[in-house]
Amino acid sequence: MARAQLSPETVTAMRQKLLALALDIYRTEGLEAISFRRLADAAGISHTLPYRYFESKEALLVALRVLCTQRFEAFVRTREAVSAPLAARIRSVAEAYVAFVEQHPAEYQLIFSTHQPAPDQYPELLAARRGLFDHAIEVVQAGIDDGLLQGDARALTHLFWLSLHGLMSLHVGGQLVHGFSLNDLIEPLVARIIGSEAAHKPMRLPTRAAINQQQRFKPVDALITPRRRRPGPRG
């Protein structure tokens, strides 16, 4: 007996439901916990039905990354100060990136994880990634047109992208352990990129207590033990 033909609206609705369930599982249990059987149980459908909407787990994860990337771009665009002076507009975009990472660290890791197929293997994923990057180029080009920045927009955006994502990746990975947090570093980073006067202002150093608490180390004084003198030869 042939399967009943599903309407495009029905297919889209079920795909969105399965993606939402997959994202919930990923957030709470990690990527390895996602399986079609697990999704089917959560959705209350047969164990084979998810294959009607995604041909494989990899296809499901690609769709999940597309969804998260599109949400990332929408998140940034809604927080961009489009009508503000260019320096403030660039800062607003950088702050939106940081806010997304702080509010949605799991999604950020999923988008930019190195353990995934290259985006150019999947046109829909590459298109989503290009949308996010092209928006950054748009902002940088506006800075060039305004005279705030100098150079090629795509090249400058790559430098901005590398610096910002490097910082955020260290934050998400819990690797900022040397006394400065993401929020401590984002303003000096943006200031140096746009060459503002703030680039020449000294960074505010955190207190010793703040460093100890952030790094979850013992107090610094407890790590320094007096060096004992070795007894000399007896006469």
Side-chain angles (χ1 to χ4, degrees):
M1 182 177 178
R3 287 181 174 179
Q5 190 70 24
L6 299 177
S7 68
E9 293 78 14
T10 300
V11 172
T12 299
M14 180 55 76
R15 281 176 60 90
Q16 290 177 342
K17 180 178 181 179
L18 292 174
L19 286 172
L21 291 171
L23 187 56
D24 286 342
I25 294 171
Y26 164 66
R27 284 170 177 161
T28 56
E29 302 177 49
L31 211 56
E32 296 302 319
I34 297 176
S35 69
F36 279 5
R37 177 177 291 271
R38 182 73 182 278
L39 284 178
D41 289 341
I45 59 179
S46 72
H47 291 164
T48 60
L49 198 54
Y51 287 97
R52 193 169 186 181
Y53 302 96
F54 301 98
E55 63 180 17
S56 64
K57 180 178 176 179
E58 183 172 300
L60 170 70
L61 295 182
V62 167
L64 198 57
R65 289 187 170 98
V66 170
L67 174 65
C68 291
T69 304
Q70 291 170 340
R71 288 181 177 178
F72 189 6
E73 181 184 350
F75 185 97
V76 172
R77 285 184 178 275
T78 58
R79 286 159 178 78
E80 178 187 358
V82 178
S83 59
L86 263 299
R89 182 182 177 187
I90 292 172
R91 282 191 176 87
S92 73
V93 171
E95 289 168 358
Y97 272 60
V98 170
F100 183 87
V101 168
E102 291 183 325
Q103 296 176 32
H104 308 286
E107 285 89 330
Y108 179 83
Q109 285 184 307
L110 181 65
I111 295 169
F112 296 106
S113 169
T114 56
H115 302 291
Q116 61 172 301
D120 58 8
Q121 294 183 25
Y122 296 94
E124 66 274 24
L125 180 55
L126 184 60
R129 290 286 291 271
R130 280 179 172 166
L132 183 62
F133 190 75
D134 286 349
H135 171 249
I137 293 178
E138 173 189 323
V139 175
V140 170
Q141 184 63 59
I144 294 172
D145 295 341
D146 190 65
L148 179 67
L149 301 173
Q150 293 183 353
D152 176 75
R154 184 169 294 274
L156 289 178
T157 302
H158 272 92
L159 294 176
F160 184 85
W161 184 267
L162 289 171
S163 300
L164 191 58
H165 280 287
L167 176 59
M168 295 191 300
S169 295
L170 288 171
H171 168 76
V172 171
Q175 299 300 313
L176 289 176
V177 296
H178 302 297
F180 290 93
S181 70
L182 177 63
N183 288 317
D184 291 329
L185 296 168
I186 188 62
E187 173 60 25
L189 174 63
V190 174
R192 279 157 176 77
I193 289 172
I194 65 176
S196 72
E197 292 180 1
H200 306 293
K201 295 181 180 179
M203 295 173 63
R204 181 179 59 84
L205 292 172
T207 64
R208 178 185 294 185
I211 294 174
N212 289 332
Q213 182 176 6
Q214 177 188 347
Q215 297 177 331
R216 297 181 181 177
F217 289 162
K218 295 179 180 179
V220 172
D221 293 340
L223 298 178
I224 304 175
T225 56
R227 186 176 181 180
R228 295 182 180 179
R229 297 182 60 187
R230 300 176 65 180
R234 295 181 180 178

